Amino acid sequence: MARTGRRPGNTRSREQILRAAREQFSELGYDGVSIRGIARGAGVDPALVHHFFGAKDAVFVAAMRLPYNPGEVLRGIVADSGHDRAEAVVRFFLGVWEDPGTREPMLAFVRSAVTNERAAEAVRGFTQDVITRHVAAEVGISPLRASLVAAQLFGMVLVRYLAAAEPLASAPPEEVVATYAPAVRTVLGEARE
Amino acid sequence: MARTGRRPGNTRSREQILRAAREQFSELGYDGVSIRGIARGAGVDPALVHHFFGAKDAVFVAAMRLPYNPGEVLRGIVADSGHDRAEAVVRFFLGVWEDPGTREPMLAFVRSAVTNERAAEAVRGFTQDVITRHVAAEVGISPLRASLVAAQLFGMVLVRYLAAAEPLASAPPEEVVATYAPAVRTVLGEARE
């Protein structure tokens, strides 16, 4: 299918797909949703959903208005082999939460996951999908190690940005990277080059 | 002051103190509360608050019905020098959350902190107090390292018990200890003996 850009019909279809996706993710959880089901809900062809967004995790990212797709970011970090992956991943997470433009949608996402059982179910399924498909498979570590890296990153966000507990809340980002990256590297099972 | 045990008057005073403490922590945040203020709110002598509970963090633990005092637990782990501290701390946190009797009050505590701004403020102050007073001072690491250990432990709880994301949610506790303790040890700055 050719990319047809910003024609009004496409904008409408895109919005219909995102609306159907939002409804279905929050009603059925992540695992209960399929591209086919979203297409049916939006009254479009499944190929159009794929054309606009790609795989299910990317539809989720767009529907939940997440500022980035963790799977894509990790692919980029893994592909760039010339640097320290542990440092890159800690620095990326800090960057997302340091910038108010990306922090606010992330905060809204986290709050909904904690206060709403169905949203929590969707986040759980999405996290599992990203951890087992992207991180474990593409980084080449066990799914358990991948989920413990996620635990380290989410924990840092929790203490620094959500709880805003000192001294982590005010520590300079590069000091956090220098102190925390070695622990992320330990879980990744990498030696420092 | 002599310990007078279970005399009815003491039970009443104890309950009055806890009620005053709960009110004040949720109204004023952790930093805004003093033993003196709690005593005034409960209509008792400050020495009685100290007699029943000890320091402010212990009053907070009792008032919030936490199943354990993280400061005391850490003192115990640090005092017992014959074992691996990183493993002990990961194993302890898993134990608290594996046991439904301690998991439920912890869950209630975490939920209130996320959904209620004032409760969040109290948790923030308490966490800072425990991190800077107990962990950093008694374990002998920098407050930044102490707060990053807290981030690792909270993150593990978040992914395994709150989000219940696989494969971490179902991994055997000893496998989690074996995989995660080396990363906690990295932040503690300890070599494996």
Side-chain angles (χ1 to χ4, degrees):
Chain A
M1 182 176 293
R3 287 200 169 262
T4 43
R6 295 170 181 240
R7 273 179 21 202
N10 271 355
T11 304
R12 205 172 55 234
S13 300
R14 205 174 183 282
E15 286 309 311
Q16 283 165 341
I17 291 167
L18 290 177
R19 198 175 315 122
R22 263 192 291 277
E23 282 172 18
Q24 294 186 19
F25 281 123
S26 47
E27 277 168 27
L28 308 170
Y30 188 83
D31 298 339
V33 169
S34 66
I35 295 279
R36 187 178 298 271
I38 292 171
R40 203 180 307 123
V44 302
D45 192 88
L48 193 65
V49 179
H50 187 77
H51 164 69
F52 279 135
F53 301 104
K56 187 163 78 170
D57 63 310
V59 184
F60 182 84
V61 166
M64 299 298 153
R65 302 186 181 89
L66 287 182
Y68 68 101
N69 182 337
E72 274 174 26
V73 168
L74 286 160
R75 258 196 297 278
I77 288 175
V78 171
D80 180 3
S81 60
H83 61 183
D84 181 317
R85 295 197 295 184
E87 278 191 13
V89 84
V90 174
R91 192 172 284 123
F92 173 77
F93 256 74
L94 285 171
V96 167
W97 286 85
E98 289 294 315
D99 176 352
T102 44
R103 180 170 62 230
E104 289 308 322
M106 290 302 293
L107 263 176
F109 181 68
V110 171
R111 289 220 177 90
S112 80
V114 178
T115 52
N116 176 329
E117 281 288 341
R118 293 186 180 282
E121 179 59 25
V123 170
R124 191 195 55 73
F126 173 69
T127 305
Q128 279 182 197
D129 192 18
V130 169
I131 285 173
T132 53
R133 281 205 319 136
H134 294 291
V135 190
E138 297 183 23
V139 181
I141 58 176
S142 74
L144 180 61
R145 284 185 181 275
S147 62
L148 285 168
V149 169
Q152 289 182 302
L153 297 170
F154 294 164
M156 177 182 77
V157 166
L158 183 72
V159 173
R160 182 175 169 93
Y161 301 100
L162 303 181
E166 297 297 353
L168 185 53
S170 307
E174 280 306 309
E175 194 177 343
V176 178
V177 171
T179 313
Y180 208 41
V184 172
R185 199 179 297 126
T186 301
V187 178
L188 287 173
E190 290 178 341
R192 169 129 214 183
E193 50 264 43
Chain B
M1 184 174 294
R3 286 198 171 263
T4 43
R6 294 171 181 241
R7 273 178 21 200
N10 270 357
T11 304
R12 206 173 54 234
S13 300
R14 207 174 181 282
E15 285 309 311
Q16 282 166 339
I17 291 167
L18 290 177
R19 196 175 318 122
R22 264 191 292 276
E23 282 172 16
Q24 294 185 19
F25 281 123
S26 46
E27 276 169 28
L28 308 171
Y30 188 82
D31 297 339
V33 169
S34 65
I35 296 280
R36 188 178 297 271
I38 292 171
R40 203 180 305 122
V44 302
D45 193 89
L48 193 65
V49 179
H50 187 78
H51 165 69
F52 279 135
F53 301 103
K56 185 163 81 171
D57 62 312
V59 183
F60 182 84
V61 166
M64 298 299 153
R65 301 186 183 89
L66 287 182
Y68 68 98
N69 183 336
E72 274 174 27
V73 167
L74 286 161
R75 256 195 299 278
I77 288 174
V78 171
D80 181 3
S81 61
H83 60 184
D84 182 315
R85 297 196 294 185
E87 279 191 11
V89 84
V90 174
R91 192 172 284 122
F92 173 78
F93 256 75
L94 285 170
V96 166
W97 286 84
E98 289 294 314
D99 176 353
T102 43
R103 180 170 61 230
E104 289 308 321
M106 289 302 293
L107 263 176
F109 180 69
V110 171
R111 289 220 177 88
S112 80
V114 177
T115 52
N116 176 328
E117 281 286 344
R118 292 185 181 283
E121 179 59 26
V123 170
R124 190 196 55 75
F126 173 69
T127 305
Q128 279 183 197
D129 192 17
V130 169
I131 285 173
T132 52
R133 281 208 316 139
H134 294 291
V135 188
E138 298 183 23
V139 181
I141 58 176
S142 74
L144 179 61
R145 284 185 181 275
S147 61
L148 285 168
V149 169
Q152 289 182 301
L153 297 170
F154 295 163
M156 177 182 76
V157 165
L158 183 72
V159 173
R160 181 175 170 92
Y161 302 101
L162 303 181
E166 298 295 355
L168 186 53
S170 306
E174 280 307 308
E175 195 178 341
V176 178
V177 171
T179 314
Y180 209 40
V184 172
R185 199 179 298 126
T186 301
V187 178
L188 287 174
E190 290 178 343
R192 170 131 212 181
E193 50 263 47

